[in-house]
Amino acid sequence: MEWEAPGIVLETRPYGEGDLIVATFTASHGAHSGLARGGASRGRVALWQIGNLVSLRWVGRLPEQLGSLTGEMIQAIAPGAMEDAMSLGLLRAVCAVAAGALPEREPHPPSFAALLHLLPRIAANVATAGDLARFELVLLADLGYGLDLASCAVSGETEGLALVSPRTGRAVTEAAAGVWRGRMLPLPAFLRDEALPGNAADWRDGLRLTGHFLERDAFGHHHRPLPEARRHLYQMLEARLAASG
Amino acid sequence: MGGPEVERLIGLLAKLPGLGPRSARRAALKLLQQPEARMLPLATALTEAARAVRPCRLCGNLDSHDPCGICGDPNRDRTLICVVEGVGDLWAIERAGAHRGLYHVLGGTLSPLGGVGPEDLSVTPLLRRLGEGEAREVILALGATVDGAATAHWLADRLAASAVVVSRVAQGVPIGGALEVLDDGTLSTALRARRPA
């Protein structure tokens, strides 16, 4: 058994002295791991940095085996993100979320396309935490836990949506929330309108919203918490907001 | 093959970095063929090193003296502390002879996946050393990997409140490196970090 496809490096674990177990994400094979022999060696370690887009070749005797991975660099993402703390935080968070939430060997083309769109922006240091929240919305929908942000769950209105029910994932207006307002999660406008960039407080609210559903649905079903890198990014954003007053 | 003593020797050698069972067997054979010339001196050196060598209580370097030879050297620049991931990195910088200050061995990099958190690294001793007041600059010489860079950013944040200047080692074209064979990441980093000629 073997396949070749472009893929994104999501996660690496040391294996033995110089090998790595690499978790990758491809459009056609989904999240797929393999053993990269010599992956931790001086000549290959740069290739297997998270976020990098790599031309992958997987070979296994049987399809259910771990198999071995080899690759050639298509686009180095990690070096561009390393110089900026926020970009690096975004890179680590997005890869950790994708690695933890995506089921093994199940294609998820919308998530792959969204990640492929986001990673070069991270490498160019122009991505924001809002972009991560948008990616997480796509990921949730792709995994079958999509939020309904199109209209108010109570009144059916499509304007003035400002809150989301933490139970159903459906948007509501301030007026419709009524006495339940305090229990609702804020819905920042940039998540409904691609043209709006949002600000740091909006991005924090967006990450809080998607984080709630990722933690409950995508990770909760596997009895796992949100990845440390994702929590760290949220804390970094909060700290920056607090520092800016 | 050769009895349990030989098997044990091969088994122990095979656990060393760079040696597998086959190369461990070759090394064991070489030792066994010249016990007086190779094996006994090696055994004595191993025993003496195991008894004498300890991590330096100041920087974490491995040395038979505590504080180590570097920390105890009065000619070292005590205002400069170079933070490295491991003792191997410290030895590499010493080999280059490019740093005349002191060191601090962090003992790894932050790795959520590997279960390495801030409490697992030698950060508190570093902050204590900085608090003692001699250091003016901390050079972060951590690996050019995602984990190394994340640790450097985290440390820079922690040190921001202190009075020391925090710098990082540069990344770019290696000496003798032809541009056409460099990886994309190194090339783009080198171009971004260009300086006036």
Side-chain angles (χ1 to χ4, degrees):
Chain A
M1 297 290 301
E2 67 176 84
W3 53 256
E4 287 182 35
I8 296 158
V9 179
L10 293 182
E11 197 176 87
T12 61
R13 293 168 191 269
Y15 184 80
E17 202 179 309
D19 302 336
L20 292 174
I21 293 179
V22 182
T24 65
F25 184 30
T26 68
S28 47
H29 301 276
H32 204 299
S33 296
L35 179 68
R37 293 191 191 281
S41 67
R42 198 168 52 177
R44 302 304 283 169
V45 72
L47 174 73
W48 300 116
Q49 293 296 305
I50 60 166
N52 284 347
L53 182 63
V54 176
S55 174
L56 296 167
R57 181 166 185 261
W58 179 89
V59 180
R61 196 168 57 83
L62 299 169
E64 60 269 27
Q65 285 181 325
L66 176 66
S68 62
L69 271 175
T70 52
E72 291 297 327
M73 187 78 83
I74 297 174
Q75 190 178 1
I77 299 293
M82 281 185 201
E83 289 160 37
D84 177 66
M86 182 52 81
S87 296
L88 189 62
L90 282 170
L91 178 68
R92 296 175 90 210
V94 74
C95 287
V97 165
L102 288 162
E104 273 272 316
R105 305 186 181 199
E106 196 178 282
H108 285 279
S111 297
F112 183 80
L115 192 53
L116 208 55
H117 174 70
L118 174 58
L119 287 173
R121 288 175 52 77
I122 293 177
N125 296 318
V126 294
T128 65
D131 293 321
L132 174 62
R134 284 189 176 121
F135 167 76
E136 289 178 347
L137 268 189
V138 174
L139 182 67
L140 280 166
D142 204 11
L143 293 172
Y145 307 119
L147 309 188
D148 181 0
L149 308 181
S151 60
C152 177
V154 179
S155 63
E157 286 178 56
T158 56
E159 297 299 319
L161 299 169
L163 301 162
V164 174
S165 161
R167 195 175 65 80
T168 63
R170 297 191 67 188
V172 288
T173 58
E174 289 264 9
V179 295
W180 304 103
R181 197 205 177 291
R183 296 191 183 183
M184 299 285 176
L185 294 165
L187 170 61
F190 81 91
L191 283 181
R192 294 192 67 234
D193 187 346
E194 286 279 328
L196 295 176
N199 57 32
D202 295 332
W203 303 333
R204 180 205 47 204
D205 290 344
L207 287 182
R208 192 174 153 215
L209 177 70
T210 52
H212 169 81
F213 291 100
L214 278 173
E215 191 163 29
R216 189 191 72 176
D217 299 330
F219 286 87
H221 283 176
H222 301 294
H223 306 288
R224 288 199 299 249
L226 270 183
E228 178 59 36
R230 171 63 165 76
R231 281 187 280 154
H232 180 251
L233 179 79
Y234 185 81
Q235 287 163 1
M236 191 174 7
L237 196 59
E238 280 208 313
R240 287 189 177 194
L241 272 170
S244 64
Chain B
M1 186 186 65
E5 294 84 1
V6 176
E7 288 303 319
R8 184 159 176 261
L9 177 62
I10 293 172
L12 288 171
L13 286 172
K15 287 190 170 70
L16 296 175
L19 293 184
R22 191 183 287 266
S23 44
R25 207 172 297 131
R26 286 180 59 210
L29 186 61
K30 194 73 180 171
L31 291 169
L32 289 165
Q33 283 170 339
Q34 295 172 299
E36 295 294 332
R38 292 182 190 269
M39 197 168 201
L40 292 176
L42 178 64
T44 307
L46 287 172
T47 309
E48 285 175 358
R51 283 193 185 132
V53 177
R54 293 280 177 274
C56 169
R57 67 171 182 271
L58 296 177
C59 71
N61 183 22
L62 292 173
D63 200 312
S64 53
H65 296 94
D66 189 13
C68 69
I70 296 171
C71 290
D73 183 349
N75 297 320
R76 289 272 176 170
D77 183 352
R78 312 192 89 74
T79 65
L80 267 180
I81 294 182
C82 181
V83 177
V84 292
E85 192 181 322
V87 175
D89 300 327
L90 186 159
W91 290 355
I93 297 174
E94 273 300 285
R95 264 201 319 272
H99 176 64
R100 293 305 300 161
L102 303 178
Y103 292 92
H104 191 87
V105 178
L106 213 50
T109 51
L110 295 174
S111 171
L113 206 60
V116 182
E119 64 285 354
D120 301 307
L121 303 180
S122 174
V123 177
T124 310
L126 173 64
L127 296 175
R128 198 166 49 233
R129 286 178 79 183
L130 297 179
E132 285 164 7
E134 271 194 289
R136 295 284 173 269
E137 182 177 351
V138 169
I139 305 166
L140 301 176
L142 303 174
T145 61
V146 168
D147 284 346
T151 308
H153 284 303
W154 181 82
L155 259 181
D157 268 357
R158 289 291 303 268
L159 301 179
S162 64
V164 295
V165 174
V166 182
S167 58
R168 288 179 66 179
V169 288
Q171 292 162 19
V173 182
I175 301 295
L179 293 186
E180 62 179 343
V181 295
L182 283 187
D183 65 276
D184 301 357
T186 305
L187 264 179
S188 56
T189 307
L191 279 169
R192 274 199 300 273
R194 68 188 180 276
R195 59 186 179 185

